[in-house]
Amino acid sequence: MIRTLLATLAFAVTASAAQPPNIVFIFCDDLTTQAISCYGDKRKLLETPNMDRIAKEGMRFDRCLVTNSICGPSRAVIQTGKYSHANGFYNNSNSKFDSSQPTFPKVMQKSGYQMAVIGKWHLMTDPVGYDHWNVLPGQGAYYNPPMTENGKEVKYEGYTTDIIGDLTLKWMDQRDKTKPFMMMCQHKAPHREWEPPLRLLGFDNDRVYEEPETLFDSYSGRSKAVSDHDMGIDRTMTDRDVKLVIPGNLNEEQKKTWSAYYDPRNAKYREAVPAGRDLVKWRYQRYMHDYLACVKAVDENVGRVLEYLDKNDLAKNTVVMLSSDQGFFLGEHGWFDKRWIFEESLRTPLLVRWPGVIKPGTSTSRIVSLIDFASTFLDIAKCENLPDVHGRSIVPLMKDETPADWRKSLYYHYYEFPVPHRVRPHYGVITDRYKLIHYYKPDVDDWELLDREKDPLEVKDFSNDPAYADKVKELKAEILRLQAEVKETMPPPRFTHGNKPFDNEPQPPEQPKGKGAGKKKAGAKQE
Ligand code: CA
């Protein structure tokens, strides 16, 4: 009897040791490192104990960079391990994900993993390669969201971040426990318009947040591409963004709670509406309250997932990864939103816990990227990599065995223009210290060189400084090398404005014509 029991136990131990690890991938939308306490932003905007726990028990990646800083394209990069020009998803305006191409979930599913994705998807075609999916349509709503569960419409009451948390735990509980699994828990938060959970309104006790040093960036000496933007706290933020207007989809009870917090504060604002710099300062404070409350709700739901793994004896054999589709500007350069190759939107959080593989409390400043995630997931799952991927597995970095030929530079290319934020298309190269950027169309042809060591705020262009002439030459050559490596068929720097557009160039959406053309509607469909 005892012998049988021991034999059974021994078998169970062997079986679990042989089982490839589960992966819980917590993916956020527009979550930036400045809002995660373990990244140590000097403003100390928010405490995120649960995200910090992943770093404390695992590894913090200090330079996880994106290749095209915008929602849908980043998601397509993750599915395929390829740059936008190769996976065909360039922008949020008119791209549709071609789900017939090779993707990592298809491979993992075939190898026996149960694959699930819950929350924001935003690839405009249905998920393929998943046993279970329950996703928000398009951008999704913050309150009482409709969702699509395996092709069927469903409706929920409550706050979307919490609902995604609930559905994540529910699926993990009901899954086939004989198989390894990958759960992609994909939050909508803290995307614009940063609508907080009602339970957290006023969580900060009307704290006055420190402003970033570049809140009033003059953009002097920079390309017109930088100054002529449409993503300023001063010129672009709408009444809906700053909660002077109530969101449309709250129920009566929710409206009461919402109004109890915002109405008295909005009345005070209307008594003496600030102007100029004071308006920017007021909006910045409101923005921080709302954005950070959204992040706090994500953090709480990260905590629920970690607790579930603990309680169900899953923590040991589950890799937990937390990341975001890009970073975000929290007032730096006077901006909200993303898109730019500048550090706040280029850099995205990446925290990974893998007990027994990653040494707790470690960090790395090696350049890794969302382009590496597909190869990484497949490596963890002991599956063959996808053909022709542009990224590579970061598992060796997790093991502190960085390959000698690990990348020293990364190629970047952003395309979406002119709507919604008038950020001109640009490509460039990023190294530990420098960035060389080319704004190439439609009305600019400007190069900029950033030196993060001399100018960590990224407010100066060194490209015309004779002392940097060799560096510019070297980095131009590096851009060409990287473009050849990933087979991007545009030919910069030979490409200049006025030349024929390159073959696979995405076309901007048609602009409205006639009266009121170009006018922005509050809460209009955007990024
Ligand atoms: Ca995003």
Side-chain angles (χ1 to χ4, degrees), residues 121-136:
W121 176 250
H122 206 204
L123 283 172
M124 314 315 284
T125 51
D126 288 346
V128 174
Y130 297 88
D131 301 290
H132 176 82
W133 51 277
N134 193 352
V135 298
L136 296 160

Side-chain angles (χ1 to χ4, degrees), residues 17 62 100 144 150 225 252 295 353 361 435 442 452 476:
D62 287 345
S100 72
N144 313 322
N150 304 321
E252 289 310 309
V295 177
R353 183 181 80 176
K435 290 174 191 171
R452 293 201 309 129
K476 277 188 179 175

Side-chain angles (χ1 to χ4, degrees), residues 81-101:
K82 288 180 181 159
Y83 274 88
S84 306
H85 67 274
N87 69 43
F89 203 105
Y90 293 92
N91 59 46
N92 285 343
S93 309
N94 59 356
S95 290
K96 252 187 169 182
F97 187 65
D98 169 12
S99 55
S100 72
Q101 62 189 308

Side-chain angles (χ1 to χ4, degrees), residues 33 36-41 51-64 320 322 347-353 358-366 368 394 397-398:
T33 52
I36 301 176
S37 38
C38 69
Y39 275 102
D41 187 83
M51 297 185 202
D52 292 6
R53 183 182 161 196
I54 302 174
K56 204 172 146 197
E57 296 172 2
M59 190 173 225
R60 190 189 71 217
F61 287 79
D62 287 345
R63 280 200 106 212
C64 179
V320 177
L322 179 134
R347 180 190 188 209
T348 200
L350 176 60
L351 306 172
V352 190
R353 183 181 80 176
I358 295 179
K359 202 174 153 201
T362 47
S363 67
T364 176
S365 55
R366 297 277 183 177
V368 302
I394 63 172
L397 277 72
M398 295 179 189

